[in-house]
Amino acid sequence: MSSPAPTAVFPGLRLGDLEVATPVVLAPMAGITNAAYRRLCAEQGAGLYVCEMITSRGLVEGDKHTLDMLVFDEAETTRSVQLYGSDPVHVGKAAEILCTEHGVDHIDLNFGCPVPKVTRKGGGGALPWKRGLLGEILEAAVGAASRHGVPVTMKTRKGIDDDHLTYLDAGRIAQEAGCAAIALHGRTVSQAYSGRADWEAIGELVAHVDIPVLGNGDIWEAADAVRMVEQTGAAGVVVGRGCLGRPWLFRDLAAAFAGEQVATLPTLGEVRDMMRRHAELLCRHMGEERGCKEFRKHVSWYLKGFAAGSDARRSLGLVSSLADLDALLADLDPDEQFPTAALGAPRGRQGSPRARVALPEGWLDDTDGRGLATTEDAVETTGG
């Protein structure tokens, strides 16, 4: 089954001096977008592949877990990192460290995380409510990174909830601070990952700012990405949960944005080969024992919709060596066709909307926050 080729050819993405041939960004996902997965996706198609999110405090303090996450594959020609922080001083220092000690080519700042333990401290998706503080953080990051020619972007959500929207102000502040682009997840913090993403808000932000806007939310197939760009005028897309268990989505995205025919859906045999390659890369970076453990979480995503039985899924979810993995994968039917019923369906976590977002006491009382330096956990690992 193939999708018709799009009629238009879309330009690449330019972030400062950094050029991305295909206007597609892999969203940082904790425990997912490590060096192995980034390489796996990059082997499929062009794009910008962002490292798992790290905290500015963890980097500045030399936290071992944070440094362990700053690993790049030898094939990565562009090093992209998402940085989280709520203190302008820490964020500025962290940006300097990334540029001078880790050779990064792009820094993205996370202001979209909806996790209560983060928003409760005024971080993540709660922070843009404090417009002044947001500006201080962005200016600190851009000031540090620009000395090294490294572009800074930011990711945010529509706002805390429908009564406390921040995305238009965030776009203006990002532009004034010198950010190279802003990515908007078309949901509020209170929605988390539930419901439908608001693509109209993405279009409104495009019309509101002069810097590139990247759209995020509900991109499950390559056709969704093309449709989002056509409907909103966005300069590109950010893809998160849609690629879970489907790294070949980046092959389809590269084809779609180039105006080419999107590839045929993979058989279970082709998926099996992709699973083996993923596990191999994980083991190369982490060692076989840890690599196989890390691979387990991906099994259900790869096999979603296929007829593989519960015994096979359970055994694959307990795999402890590449030899065991090879034996189990050999039992899968290589000729089974891709389950078309799984197309366009949400993947990964969804959850339910929250009646109330966890915020610091009095957080909504004013919208400035300049000089207010909240403190994040050094090892916070999440996304937005």
Side-chain angles (χ1 to χ4, degrees):
M1 177 180 176
S2 300
S3 301
T7 56
V9 177
F10 297 86
L13 179 64
R14 187 175 185 89
L15 304 174
D17 293 332
L18 177 62
E19 294 188 20
V20 184
T22 301
V24 173
V25 179
L26 168 64
M29 290 179 281
I32 304 294
T33 58
N34 48 43
Y37 192 70
R38 298 196 304 273
R39 173 160 182 172
L40 185 68
C41 293
E43 289 176 346
Q44 302 304 303
L48 182 63
Y49 301 96
V50 189
C51 179
E52 295 173 271
M53 188 196 79
I54 62 169
T55 70
S56 57
R57 179 183 166 195
L59 184 59
V60 170
E61 295 180 356
D63 173 70
K64 184 180 185 303
H65 177 72
T66 301
L67 295 176
D68 286 345
M69 294 170 68
L70 268 177
V71 173
F72 299 94
D73 187 89
E74 65 270 13
E76 286 189 270
T77 56
T78 301
R79 295 185 171 191
S80 175
V81 175
Q82 187 177 74
L83 186 63
Y84 167 74
S86 49
D87 180 335
V89 175
H90 269 146
V91 170
K93 289 180 179 179
E96 181 74 20
I97 292 171
L98 287 173
C99 295
T100 58
E101 299 181 22
H102 298 276
V104 304
D105 302 288
H106 165 243
I107 297 173
D108 183 56
L109 296 179
N110 183 313
F111 298 106
C113 178
V115 176
K117 67 178 179 179
V118 172
T119 61
R120 186 176 291 114
K121 295 182 178 181
L127 195 143
W129 181 257
K130 301 294 190 184
R131 278 72 163 178
L133 177 59
L134 176 64
E136 288 182 329
I137 294 172
L138 293 176
E139 288 165 7
V142 171
S146 63
R147 292 193 291 270
H148 306 280
V150 173
V152 173
T153 60
M154 70 168 283
K155 182 181 180 184
T156 190
R157 285 177 173 249
K158 289 174 56 181
I160 293 173
D161 53 36
D162 287 338
D163 295 324
H164 301 88
L165 299 177
T166 55
Y167 64 103
L168 294 180
D169 281 346
R172 172 184 54 79
I173 294 166
Q175 179 171 305
E176 292 173 351
C179 287
I182 179 172
L184 177 62
H185 185 156
R187 290 180 171 88
T188 61
V189 174
S190 65
Q191 281 183 271
Y193 299 93
S194 66
R196 293 182 62 84
D198 181 2
W199 289 8
E200 287 189 11
I202 297 170
E204 290 173 6
L205 183 57
V206 169
H208 189 68
V209 298
D210 297 325
I211 59 176
V213 174
L214 305 176
N216 179 218
D218 294 353
I219 296 176
W220 311 113
E221 311 296 337
D224 296 329
V226 172
R227 185 164 51 88
M228 174 187 278
V229 169
E230 290 178 336
Q231 288 184 7
T232 67
V237 298
V238 178
V239 178
R241 294 173 297 151
C243 71
L244 295 176
R246 302 174 65 214
W248 59 84
L249 177 60
F250 291 94
R251 174 194 65 197
D252 292 349
L253 287 162
F257 279 117
E260 300 170 358
Q261 190 77 9
V262 173
T264 303
L265 293 171
T267 63
L268 183 52
E270 293 170 313
V271 173
R272 180 182 66 185
D273 293 343
M274 191 72 70
M275 295 171 73
R276 180 56 168 80
R277 176 61 173 160
H278 191 172
E280 173 191 334
L281 289 170
L282 283 168
C283 292
R284 182 186 301 176
H285 278 281
M286 303 177 177
E288 188 166 7
E289 181 179 2
R290 185 183 166 202
C292 286
K293 286 183 178 178
E294 286 290 323
F295 176 74
R296 296 172 184 175
K297 72 181 74 169
H298 298 271
V299 170
S300 61
W301 294 323
Y302 275 114
L303 296 181
K304 182 174 182 177
F306 283 106
S310 58
D311 289 344
R313 293 170 187 269
R314 187 180 307 109
S315 297
L316 283 165
L318 296 171
V319 69
S320 59
S321 71
L322 288 176
D324 289 345
L325 177 62
D326 287 338
L328 292 167
L329 292 178
D331 290 336
L332 299 178
D333 178 6
D335 298 322
E336 184 179 345
Q337 297 299 300
F338 190 88
T340 55
L343 291 174
R347 306 175 76 83
R349 57 184 172 177
Q350 289 176 268
S352 303
R354 296 168 186 147
R356 179 177 174 274
V357 175
L359 297 169
E361 184 70 27
W363 188 254
L364 299 177
D365 291 350
D366 76 86
T367 61
D368 186 20
R370 267 184 281 255
L372 174 65
T374 61
T375 303
E376 72 272 7
D377 291 335
V379 294
E380 184 61 60
T381 55
T382 183

